[in-house]
Short mmCIF file of all heavy atoms in Angstrom, two decimals:
data_model
loop_
_atom_site.label_atom_id
_atom_site.label_comp_id
_atom_site.label_asym_id
_atom_site.label_seq_id
_atom_site.Cartn_x
_atom_site.Cartn_y
_atom_site.Cartn_z
N PRO A 1061 50.36 -62.04 -9.12
CA PRO A 1061 50.47 -63.50 -9.18
C PRO A 1061 50.08 -64.08 -10.53
O PRO A 1061 50.70 -65.06 -10.98
CB PRO A 1061 49.51 -63.95 -8.07
CG PRO A 1061 49.45 -62.82 -7.12
CD PRO A 1061 49.56 -61.58 -7.96
N ASP A 1062 49.06 -63.51 -11.19
CA ASP A 1062 48.65 -64.08 -12.47
C ASP A 1062 49.69 -63.87 -13.54
O ASP A 1062 49.89 -64.72 -14.42
CB ASP A 1062 47.29 -63.50 -12.89
CG ASP A 1062 47.34 -61.99 -13.02
OD1 ASP A 1062 48.17 -61.35 -12.36
OD2 ASP A 1062 46.52 -61.44 -13.79
N VAL A 1063 50.40 -62.73 -13.51
CA VAL A 1063 51.46 -62.49 -14.49
C VAL A 1063 52.65 -63.39 -14.20
O VAL A 1063 53.25 -63.96 -15.12
CB VAL A 1063 51.88 -61.00 -14.47
CG1 VAL A 1063 53.08 -60.77 -15.38
CG2 VAL A 1063 50.72 -60.11 -14.91
N ILE A 1064 53.01 -63.53 -12.93
CA ILE A 1064 54.09 -64.45 -12.57
C ILE A 1064 53.73 -65.87 -12.99
O ILE A 1064 54.57 -66.62 -13.51
CB ILE A 1064 54.36 -64.38 -11.05
CG1 ILE A 1064 54.85 -62.99 -10.66
CG2 ILE A 1064 55.39 -65.43 -10.65
CD1 ILE A 1064 55.04 -62.80 -9.17
N LYS A 1065 52.48 -66.24 -12.78
CA LYS A 1065 52.02 -67.58 -13.17
C LYS A 1065 52.15 -67.77 -14.68
O LYS A 1065 52.60 -68.84 -15.13
CB LYS A 1065 50.56 -67.76 -12.73
CG LYS A 1065 49.94 -69.06 -13.19
CD LYS A 1065 48.49 -69.14 -12.77
CE LYS A 1065 47.82 -70.39 -13.33
NZ LYS A 1065 46.39 -70.48 -12.93
N SER A 1066 51.79 -66.78 -15.47
CA SER A 1066 51.91 -66.89 -16.92
C SER A 1066 53.36 -67.05 -17.34
O SER A 1066 53.68 -67.82 -18.26
CB SER A 1066 51.31 -65.65 -17.59
OG SER A 1066 49.93 -65.54 -17.33
N ASN A 1067 54.25 -66.34 -16.66
CA ASN A 1067 55.68 -66.46 -16.95
C ASN A 1067 56.20 -67.85 -16.61
O ASN A 1067 56.99 -68.44 -17.35
CB ASN A 1067 56.45 -65.40 -16.17
CG ASN A 1067 57.91 -65.32 -16.56
OD1 ASN A 1067 58.30 -65.72 -17.65
ND2 ASN A 1067 58.74 -64.82 -15.67
N LEU A 1068 55.72 -68.41 -15.50
CA LEU A 1068 56.12 -69.76 -15.11
C LEU A 1068 55.60 -70.80 -16.10
O LEU A 1068 56.30 -71.76 -16.44
CB LEU A 1068 55.59 -70.08 -13.71
CG LEU A 1068 56.22 -69.29 -12.56
CD1 LEU A 1068 55.46 -69.54 -11.26
CD2 LEU A 1068 57.69 -69.66 -12.39
N LYS A 1069 54.38 -70.60 -16.60
CA LYS A 1069 53.84 -71.52 -17.60
C LYS A 1069 54.64 -71.45 -18.89
O LYS A 1069 54.84 -72.46 -19.57
CB LYS A 1069 52.37 -71.18 -17.86
CG LYS A 1069 51.45 -71.49 -16.69
CD LYS A 1069 50.02 -71.04 -16.93
CE LYS A 1069 49.34 -71.84 -18.00
NZ LYS A 1069 47.91 -71.46 -18.15
N LEU A 1070 55.11 -70.25 -19.21
CA LEU A 1070 55.95 -70.09 -20.40
C LEU A 1070 57.28 -70.82 -20.21
O LEU A 1070 57.76 -71.51 -21.14
CB LEU A 1070 56.19 -68.60 -20.67
CG LEU A 1070 57.01 -68.24 -21.91
CD1 LEU A 1070 56.33 -68.73 -23.17
CD2 LEU A 1070 57.24 -66.73 -21.98
N GLN A 1071 57.87 -70.71 -19.03
CA GLN A 1071 59.12 -71.42 -18.75
C GLN A 1071 58.92 -72.93 -18.81
O GLN A 1071 59.75 -73.67 -19.34
CB GLN A 1071 59.65 -71.01 -17.39
CG GLN A 1071 60.07 -69.55 -17.29
CD GLN A 1071 60.50 -69.17 -15.88
OE1 GLN A 1071 61.01 -69.99 -15.13
NE2 GLN A 1071 60.27 -67.91 -15.50
N LYS A 1072 57.79 -73.40 -18.25
CA LYS A 1072 57.51 -74.84 -18.28
C LYS A 1072 57.35 -75.33 -19.71
O LYS A 1072 57.85 -76.41 -20.08
CB LYS A 1072 56.24 -75.14 -17.49
CG LYS A 1072 55.90 -76.62 -17.44
CD LYS A 1072 54.59 -76.89 -16.75
CE LYS A 1072 54.31 -78.38 -16.69
NZ LYS A 1072 54.33 -79.03 -18.04
N ALA A 1073 56.66 -74.54 -20.53
CA ALA A 1073 56.48 -74.92 -21.93
C ALA A 1073 57.83 -75.01 -22.63
O ALA A 1073 58.04 -75.88 -23.49
CB ALA A 1073 55.57 -73.92 -22.63
N GLY A 1074 58.76 -74.12 -22.28
CA GLY A 1074 60.10 -74.18 -22.85
C GLY A 1074 60.82 -75.46 -22.46
O GLY A 1074 61.50 -76.10 -23.30
N TYR A 1075 60.71 -75.86 -21.20
CA TYR A 1075 61.30 -77.13 -20.76
C TYR A 1075 60.69 -78.31 -21.53
O TYR A 1075 61.40 -79.24 -21.93
CB TYR A 1075 61.08 -77.32 -19.26
CG TYR A 1075 61.97 -76.48 -18.39
CD1 TYR A 1075 61.47 -75.84 -17.26
CD2 TYR A 1075 63.32 -76.33 -18.67
CE1 TYR A 1075 62.29 -75.06 -16.44
CE2 TYR A 1075 64.15 -75.56 -17.86
CZ TYR A 1075 63.62 -74.93 -16.75
OH TYR A 1075 64.44 -74.16 -15.95
N ASP A 1076 59.36 -78.27 -21.71
CA ASP A 1076 58.68 -79.38 -22.39
C ASP A 1076 59.14 -79.51 -23.83
O ASP A 1076 59.23 -80.63 -24.37
CB ASP A 1076 57.17 -79.18 -22.32
CG ASP A 1076 56.62 -79.32 -20.91
OD1 ASP A 1076 57.33 -79.92 -20.07
OD2 ASP A 1076 55.51 -78.82 -20.64
N VAL A 1077 59.41 -78.38 -24.50
CA VAL A 1077 59.94 -78.44 -25.87
C VAL A 1077 61.30 -79.12 -25.88
O VAL A 1077 61.58 -80.00 -26.71
CB VAL A 1077 60.03 -77.02 -26.47
CG1 VAL A 1077 60.78 -77.06 -27.81
CG2 VAL A 1077 58.65 -76.43 -26.68
N ARG A 1078 62.16 -78.74 -24.94
CA ARG A 1078 63.50 -79.34 -24.88
C ARG A 1078 63.42 -80.84 -24.54
O ARG A 1078 64.19 -81.64 -25.09
CB ARG A 1078 64.34 -78.61 -23.83
CG ARG A 1078 64.66 -77.16 -24.22
CD ARG A 1078 65.27 -76.40 -23.06
NE ARG A 1078 66.54 -76.98 -22.65
CZ ARG A 1078 67.23 -76.58 -21.58
NH1 ARG A 1078 66.75 -75.59 -20.83
NH2 ARG A 1078 68.38 -77.15 -21.27
N ILE A 1079 62.49 -81.21 -23.68
CA ILE A 1079 62.33 -82.63 -23.33
C ILE A 1079 61.90 -83.44 -24.55
O ILE A 1079 62.42 -84.53 -24.81
CB ILE A 1079 61.30 -82.79 -22.20
CG1 ILE A 1079 61.87 -82.21 -20.89
CG2 ILE A 1079 60.94 -84.25 -21.99
CD1 ILE A 1079 60.83 -82.09 -19.79
N SER A 1080 60.94 -82.89 -25.31
CA SER A 1080 60.46 -83.61 -26.49
C SER A 1080 61.56 -83.80 -27.53
O SER A 1080 61.60 -84.82 -28.23
CB SER A 1080 59.27 -82.86 -27.11
OG SER A 1080 59.66 -81.58 -27.58
N LYS A 1081 62.47 -82.84 -27.63
CA LYS A 1081 63.60 -82.99 -28.57
C LYS A 1081 64.57 -84.05 -28.10
O LYS A 1081 65.10 -84.83 -28.89
CB LYS A 1081 64.32 -81.65 -28.73
CG LYS A 1081 63.52 -80.59 -29.49
CD LYS A 1081 64.31 -79.30 -29.61
CE LYS A 1081 63.54 -78.25 -30.40
NZ LYS A 1081 64.28 -76.97 -30.51
N LYS A 1082 64.82 -84.10 -26.79
CA LYS A 1082 65.77 -85.08 -26.25
C LYS A 1082 65.21 -86.50 -26.32
O LYS A 1082 65.98 -87.48 -26.23
CB LYS A 1082 66.12 -84.73 -24.81
CG LYS A 1082 66.97 -83.45 -24.69
CD LYS A 1082 67.34 -83.14 -23.26
CE LYS A 1082 68.12 -81.82 -23.17
NZ LYS A 1082 69.42 -81.91 -23.84
N ASN A 1083 63.89 -86.64 -26.50
CA ASN A 1083 63.31 -87.97 -26.66
C ASN A 1083 63.75 -88.63 -27.95
O ASN A 1083 63.57 -89.85 -28.13
CB ASN A 1083 61.79 -87.90 -26.61
CG ASN A 1083 61.26 -87.75 -25.20
OD1 ASN A 1083 61.90 -88.19 -24.24
ND2 ASN A 1083 60.10 -87.12 -25.06
N LEU A 1084 64.32 -87.86 -28.90
CA LEU A 1084 64.82 -88.43 -30.15
C LEU A 1084 66.15 -89.15 -29.94
O LEU A 1084 66.57 -89.94 -30.78
CB LEU A 1084 65.00 -87.32 -31.19
CG LEU A 1084 63.73 -86.59 -31.65
CD1 LEU A 1084 64.10 -85.44 -32.58
CD2 LEU A 1084 62.78 -87.54 -32.35
N LEU A 1085 66.82 -88.87 -28.83
CA LEU A 1085 68.14 -89.44 -28.57
C LEU A 1085 68.01 -90.80 -27.88
O LEU A 1085 67.00 -91.10 -27.24
CB LEU A 1085 68.94 -88.48 -27.69
CG LEU A 1085 69.15 -87.07 -28.26
CD1 LEU A 1085 69.81 -86.17 -27.22
CD2 LEU A 1085 69.98 -87.12 -29.53
N PRO A 1086 69.02 -91.64 -28.03
CA PRO A 1086 68.96 -92.97 -27.39
C PRO A 1086 69.09 -92.85 -25.88
O PRO A 1086 69.64 -91.88 -25.34
CB PRO A 1086 70.17 -93.70 -27.99
CG PRO A 1086 71.12 -92.61 -28.37
CD PRO A 1086 70.25 -91.45 -28.81
N SER A 1087 68.56 -93.85 -25.19
CA SER A 1087 68.67 -93.91 -23.74
C SER A 1087 69.53 -95.10 -23.34
O SER A 1087 69.64 -96.08 -24.10
CB SER A 1087 67.28 -94.01 -23.09
OG SER A 1087 66.61 -95.17 -23.55
N PHE A 1088 70.11 -95.01 -22.15
CA PHE A 1088 71.00 -96.06 -21.66
C PHE A 1088 70.59 -96.43 -20.24
O PHE A 1088 70.42 -95.55 -19.39
CB PHE A 1088 72.46 -95.61 -21.69
CG PHE A 1088 72.95 -95.24 -23.07
CD1 PHE A 1088 72.81 -93.95 -23.54
CD2 PHE A 1088 73.51 -96.20 -23.90
CE1 PHE A 1088 73.25 -93.60 -24.81
CE2 PHE A 1088 73.95 -95.87 -25.17
CZ PHE A 1088 73.82 -94.56 -25.63
N ILE A 1089 70.44 -97.71 -20.00
CA ILE A 1089 70.03 -98.21 -18.69
C ILE A 1089 71.14 -99.06 -18.10
O ILE A 1089 71.62 -100.01 -18.74
CB ILE A 1089 68.73 -99.03 -18.79
CG1 ILE A 1089 67.59 -98.17 -19.33
CG2 ILE A 1089 68.35 -99.60 -17.42
CD1 ILE A 1089 66.33 -98.94 -19.59
N ILE A 1090 71.57 -98.69 -16.91
CA ILE A 1090 72.53 -99.52 -16.17
C ILE A 1090 71.74 -100.52 -15.34
O ILE A 1090 70.88 -100.13 -14.54
CB ILE A 1090 73.43 -98.66 -15.27
CG1 ILE A 1090 74.27 -97.70 -16.11
CG2 ILE A 1090 74.33 -99.54 -14.42
CD1 ILE A 1090 75.15 -96.77 -15.28
N SER A 1091 72.04 -101.79 -15.52
CA SER A 1091 71.30 -102.84 -14.81
C SER A 1091 72.30 -103.82 -14.20
O SER A 1091 73.32 -104.15 -14.83
CB SER A 1091 70.35 -103.57 -15.76
OG SER A 1091 69.64 -104.58 -15.08
N GLY A 1092 72.01 -104.29 -13.01
CA GLY A 1092 72.93 -105.23 -12.38
C GLY A 1092 72.31 -105.93 -11.20
O GLY A 1092 71.23 -105.54 -10.72
N ASN A 1093 72.98 -106.99 -10.74
CA ASN A 1093 72.54 -107.76 -9.58
C ASN A 1093 73.74 -108.03 -8.69
O ASN A 1093 74.87 -108.22 -9.19
CB ASN A 1093 71.92 -109.09 -9.99
CG ASN A 1093 70.62 -108.91 -10.76
OD1 ASN A 1093 69.60 -108.60 -10.17
ND2 ASN A 1093 70.68 -109.08 -12.08
N VAL A 1094 73.51 -108.11 -7.42
CA VAL A 1094 74.54 -108.52 -6.48
C VAL A 1094 73.86 -109.26 -5.33
O VAL A 1094 72.80 -108.83 -4.87
CB VAL A 1094 75.35 -107.31 -5.97
CG1 VAL A 1094 74.48 -106.34 -5.22
CG2 VAL A 1094 76.52 -107.76 -5.11
N GLY A 1095 74.43 -110.39 -4.93
CA GLY A 1095 73.80 -111.14 -3.86
C GLY A 1095 74.41 -112.53 -3.73
O GLY A 1095 75.60 -112.73 -4.00
N TYR A 1096 73.57 -113.50 -3.40
CA TYR A 1096 74.04 -114.86 -3.15
C TYR A 1096 73.13 -115.86 -3.86
O TYR A 1096 71.92 -115.67 -3.96
CB TYR A 1096 74.05 -115.15 -1.65
CG TYR A 1096 75.02 -114.27 -0.89
CD1 TYR A 1096 74.58 -113.08 -0.32
CD2 TYR A 1096 76.35 -114.65 -0.75
CE1 TYR A 1096 75.47 -112.28 0.38
CE2 TYR A 1096 77.24 -113.84 -0.06
CZ TYR A 1096 76.80 -112.66 0.50
OH TYR A 1096 77.67 -111.86 1.17
N ASN A 1097 73.77 -116.95 -4.33
CA ASN A 1097 73.05 -118.01 -5.04
C ASN A 1097 73.60 -119.35 -4.56
O ASN A 1097 74.79 -119.63 -4.76
CB ASN A 1097 73.24 -117.84 -6.55
CG ASN A 1097 72.55 -118.94 -7.34
OD1 ASN A 1097 71.54 -119.50 -6.90
ND2 ASN A 1097 73.12 -119.29 -8.49
#
């Protein structure tokens, strides 16, 4: 379990690196309303 855990932590760290790189890119938000006035 401890070796599997270390491997999972390594995989998570890899995801975190990719996330931090994607934070350099612009984001887009879809916003809208529907109802009655």
Side-chain angles (χ1 to χ4, degrees):
D1062 58 335
V1063 174
I1064 296 175
K1065 175 183 175 180
S1066 297
N1067 188 23
L1068 292 171
K1069 291 175 69 175
L1070 182 61
Q1071 294 176 31
K1072 181 185 182 304
Y1075 285 138
D1076 292 340
V1077 171
R1078 293 170 62 186
I1079 291 169
S1080 64
K1081 290 180 178 179
K1082 291 182 183 294
N1083 282 332
L1084 296 174
L1085 302 173
S1087 59
F1088 300 89
I1089 299 174
I1090 297 178
S1091 180
N1093 294 284
V1094 62
Y1096 296 93
N1097 178 29

